[in-house]
Amino acid sequence: MVLDSSTLFTIATGITLLLGVFLLVLWLQEREVRALAWWGAAYLMGASAVMLWGSKDASALIMPEAPSALLFIACGVLWNGARLFQGRRVLPGALFGGAVMWLIAVKFTPLGQSEHARVVLSSLVIALYAFLTAFELRRERRRERRAQWLAVAVPLLHSAVFLAPLALVLTVPEKASVDGLFALFAFETVIYVVGTAFVVVVMAKERVAFVHKTAAMTDLLTGLWNRRAFLEAADRLIAQRTRKSLPISVLLFDLDRFKLINDRFGHAAGDEALKVFARTASESMRTNDMIARLGGEEFAAILPGNAVDATIVAERLRAAFEAADIEISGQKIAATVSVGVATAVPPVQIETLLASADTALYRAKANGRNRVEVGQGEPAPGAPPPRVPAAGEAPAIAEAAAALR
């Protein structure tokens, strides 16, 4: 059986139409990935353009150049969907630019009188949009290297195939039939639409998984990492420092008299104080330091470096937060933070460092608050384990700690 260009275009149209519906249904399930709607619309527009192209009844009702223009708009929508997926703005002018250029060229220039020239111009427009799509997909950094190369290779291959007429027109006579070229393009289009749909679905699923994972590890109020994310990052950093036998430090922060701020100014003021501290911490910490909100008014940071490095970072953050202006309903709130520092050379458990930093933090509270105190790292070998308070001592210790916070 011989597959002519008409049969191949019919197959391409059916596949493209189904994939467009599939992408729109997927978008209805994953509304946070708006690019899926753009890609689904692009596929439906492309399928409609091909159907109009092959329909004699439709060609009698619309101008002959309309199907090609609609196909170029579909390519522009596909490209802008890739831009939207990367968080970049849509370019309406460039989206319709290919179609406008095509209509002007075939209507008002001699190019419209040459079938070969129309094929070459169409190839250039589609190849340009495919190249721009590949360029946008190249920006995606979260995928594995193999998937990243696949996302770029499919549009680039499509771009290269549609540039083939530039060489073919030099060898094919002007009056020769171009049905062979259209058959080639139809076959390549089937491969391209399937390959591109596969790539965008994989990308969308990875994006959704990334968003959900980030949401599960982010504190909603401050935007910092939460306790779970902190413990995972701490384990990774400790493992790295263990291999090199380099020191690691933990900072434990607690906003001073936070309960008094809530009682006096309201919980909105307390939330604002937490947000200001989180913002100040993000600006004051180094790029390789990791800070998180453990809960309430307690924050923790883990960073590579010794006690001197950690103390410098802690003091810089303490001073910056003290100087920050927290204003609620025109009323300024003076808020400060106490910091406990613990340092050790791995191997060491993050729980041990946190306990040592908490002891130092308790001492900072007892010594007047709004200060940095340095504790010890992992207990020395052979040292007795910390004493667990008796049942009768626990309430008294808890009351004393609450009074100091």
Side-chain angles (χ1 to χ4, degrees), residues 216-244:
M217 303 182 74
T218 302
D219 177 64
L220 295 179
L221 178 64
T222 63
L224 298 178
W225 296 114
N226 57 21
R227 177 185 290 270
R228 172 186 172 185
F230 175 80
L231 294 177
E232 291 184 4
D235 289 338
R236 290 194 299 269
L237 185 57
I238 289 175
Q240 295 173 6
R241 305 293 283 185
T242 300
R243 290 192 293 268
K244 300 178 181 179

Side-chain angles (χ1 to χ4, degrees), residues 109-284:
T109 71
L111 293 176
Q113 307 303 319
S114 171
E115 190 69 23
H116 282 189
R118 292 162 70 100
V119 171
V120 171
L121 182 58
S122 301
S123 301
L124 287 173
V125 173
I126 298 177
L128 177 60
Y129 277 127
F131 176 80
L132 292 174
T133 302
F135 181 79
E136 292 298 333
L137 295 179
R138 183 186 61 85
R139 297 173 179 271
E140 185 65 17
R141 301 298 185 186
R142 284 182 291 272
R143 296 190 308 274
E144 296 180 358
R145 183 173 297 273
R146 183 175 60 180
Q148 186 176 4
W149 276 106
L150 180 62
V152 178
V154 172
L156 282 181
L157 176 62
H158 185 64
S159 179
V161 170
F162 269 94
L163 285 175
L166 296 179
L168 293 177
V169 293
L170 298 177
T171 58
V172 177
E174 176 67 23
K175 295 182 179 181
S177 174
V178 293
D179 288 343
L181 289 179
F182 281 115
L184 173 63
F185 296 158
F187 178 72
E188 191 273 339
T189 300
V190 174
I191 299 176
Y192 174 68
V193 295
V194 174
T196 303
F198 171 76
V199 169
V200 298
V201 168
V202 170
M203 289 171 53
K205 288 296 185 181
E206 289 180 347
R207 173 65 60 85
V208 171
F210 176 80
V211 169
H212 289 171
K213 181 179 179 181
T214 301
M217 303 182 74
T218 302
D219 177 64
L220 295 179
L221 178 64
T222 63
L224 298 178
W225 296 114
N226 57 21
R227 177 185 290 270
R228 172 186 172 185
F230 175 80
L231 294 177
E232 291 184 4
D235 289 338
R236 290 194 299 269
L237 185 57
I238 289 175
Q240 295 173 6
R241 305 293 283 185
T242 300
R243 290 192 293 268
K244 300 178 181 179
S245 298
L246 296 175
I248 190 170
S249 298
V250 165
L251 312 179
L252 202 57
F253 306 89
D254 192 275
L255 272 61
D256 297 324
R257 304 187 188 279
F258 185 74
K259 185 177 183 303
L260 182 61
I261 294 176
N262 279 333
D263 293 342
R264 182 177 178 183
F265 301 101
H267 288 282
D271 290 346
E272 184 62 24
L274 294 174
K275 293 178 183 178
V276 171
F277 177 80
R279 185 167 59 251
T280 305
S282 299
E283 296 171 352
S284 302

Side-chain angles (χ1 to χ4, degrees), residues 8-81:
L8 288 172
F9 269 117
T10 301
I11 296 173
T13 302
I15 293 176
T16 305
L17 187 64
L18 290 175
L19 289 175
V21 173
F22 170 72
L23 289 174
L24 287 178
V25 171
L26 186 60
W27 169 68
L28 292 176
Q29 298 175 353
E30 308 291 353
R31 289 296 186 94
E32 59 266 32
V33 186
R34 292 187 299 157
L36 285 172
W38 281 70
W39 289 328
Y43 273 53
L44 293 180
M45 292 172 65
S48 301
V50 177
M51 285 190 293
L52 291 174
W53 209 347
S55 174
K56 295 181 179 180
D57 296 335
S59 61
L61 299 175
I62 60 176
M63 62 180 183
E65 294 80 9
S68 297
L70 183 59
L71 180 62
F72 301 147
I73 294 174
C75 293
V77 172
L78 190 67
W79 166 49
N80 277 271

Side-chain angles (χ1 to χ4, degrees), residues 69 73 94 101 134 275 291 293 320 383 393-394:
I73 294 174
M101 182 182 68
K275 293 178 183 178
I291 186 165
R293 182 188 180 196
E393 297 176 326

